[in-house]
Amino acid sequence: MKVLVAVKRVVDYNVKVRVKSDNTGVDIANVKMSMNPFDEIAIEEAVRLKEKGLVTEIIAVSCGVSQCQETLRTAMAIGADRAILVETTEELQPLAVAKLLKALLDKEQPGLILLGKQAIDDDCNQTGQMLAALADLPQATFASKVEVVDGKVSVTREVDGGLETLLLSLPAVITADLRLNEPRYVTLPNIMKAKKKQLEIFKPEDLGVDVSPRIKTLRVSEPPKRSAGIKVPDVATLVDKLKNEAKVI
């Protein structure tokens, strides 16, 4: 079985994000970038399925600027067999990414598609669901356990009420949650091997996909700074302030 895993290049989770002075977006100049943590979990899960003998090939896919090649090399160092970059300088929104992945899905015909449940930069949590809809495939989001058995995949997913288990026919789309696994440490020998693995580059027009943005960002601003707290003499004063000043009760 062939597995396609989508990975995104985002600002590293340890970096304090700063808004540009003109409020047009987030400043990423000279900022450390890395693979989206949820996508790293998706790659790790694909590698574990391959180690169990259930997967024959893992293809890592990324969409964006040419620097995304670094993210794909990391995915190959973790264990992906080859990579595909859809290179564009356009701002890619979830629907555009889903359409690009759908085009690659038609080309590669994988048995399983893995993605992170969301990206830590926009927090959209949309691409996996949109891809499943476009490709008319069964989907399981927020996966905390994945088992492939007899040509089907059993997915335990995290929902508001606890855990839910779904049995899906293949091919299927699965989005990885935080508790699915803990990604392995990437070793230097594997980083060196990844440099020799195949990396194909396409343009959106090669795949026949229009990636022009459907939504325009008008302004990006930092949240207001928290004001200092105060001490109140008694419960009655606290209730009065919560009711008349904070208006939360």
Side-chain angles (χ1 to χ4, degrees):
M1 179 173 68
K2 189 188 292 186
V3 176
L4 189 143
V5 186
V7 297
K8 186 177 183 181
R9 178 177 180 263
V10 298
V11 175
D12 190 86
Y13 68 93
N14 287 312
V15 173
K16 180 174 171 52
V17 176
R18 300 188 183 278
V19 175
K20 290 181 180 177
S21 56
D22 59 1
N23 295 107
T24 57
V26 171
D27 187 6
I28 59 170
N30 302 314
V31 169
K32 183 185 177 186
M33 307 291 281
S34 60
M35 188 189 301
N36 179 47
F38 291 105
D39 297 340
E40 197 172 353
I41 291 167
I43 278 281
E44 173 67 26
E45 191 63 25
V47 174
R48 292 187 185 193
L49 289 172
K50 187 179 180 184
E51 288 171 346
K52 290 176 184 175
L54 300 167
V55 168
T56 54
E57 185 181 30
I58 301 168
I59 308 162
V61 177
S62 192
C63 307
V65 294
S66 61
Q67 288 91 331
C68 290
Q69 291 184 46
E70 300 165 16
T71 308
L72 290 170
R73 293 291 177 196
T74 302
M76 289 190 284
I78 294 171
D81 298 295
R82 58 187 175 95
I84 298 172
L85 170 62
V86 183
E87 189 178 341
T88 177
T89 54
E90 285 270 7
E91 178 200 348
L92 290 176
Q93 293 172 352
L95 181 59
V97 177
K99 287 180 177 179
L100 291 170
L101 293 175
K102 166 66 167 62
L104 292 173
L105 227 149
D106 294 338
K107 182 176 182 293
E108 296 290 344
Q109 296 292 314
L112 188 62
I113 304 95
L114 289 169
L115 309 88
K117 71 167 183 176
Q118 64 193 77
I120 62 170
D121 53 359
D122 56 22
D123 268 342
C124 280
N125 179 20
Q126 296 173 350
T127 307
Q129 293 89 324
M130 287 177 168
L131 174 60
L134 289 170
D136 194 24
L137 292 176
Q139 64 171 309
T141 54
F142 319 129
S144 60
K145 187 177 181 182
V146 175
E147 292 179 305
V148 178
V149 185
D150 298 330
K152 293 185 181 292
V153 59
S154 172
V155 181
T156 302
R157 57 189 300 265
E158 300 188 0
V159 295
D160 291 340
L163 298 176
E164 176 183 73
T165 302
L166 301 177
L167 187 64
L168 310 178
S169 56
L170 296 173
V173 177
I174 298 173
T175 68
D177 209 334
L178 192 64
R179 280 160 288 279
L180 181 57
N181 61 54
E182 187 174 334
R184 68 194 64 194
Y185 178 76
V186 181
T187 61
L188 183 59
N190 285 337
I191 292 171
M192 300 308 292
K193 287 176 187 173
K195 292 181 179 180
K196 298 178 181 178
K197 291 183 179 180
Q198 180 186 353
L199 195 159
E200 294 179 89
I201 299 176
F202 294 98
K203 300 285 186 186
E205 48 269 28
D206 298 336
L207 301 171
V209 178
D210 175 20
V211 296
S212 53
R214 305 297 180 94
I215 300 170
K216 184 180 179 182
T217 302
L218 300 178
R219 180 181 174 84
V220 177
S221 56
E222 290 189 20
K225 292 198 166 38
R226 293 180 63 178
S227 55
I230 59 169
K231 288 183 179 180
V232 292
D234 51 45
V235 174
T237 310
L238 173 64
V239 172
D240 178 64
K241 287 186 175 294
L242 289 174
K243 187 175 182 179
N244 299 313
E245 290 184 23
K247 298 190 186 300
V248 295
I249 59 172

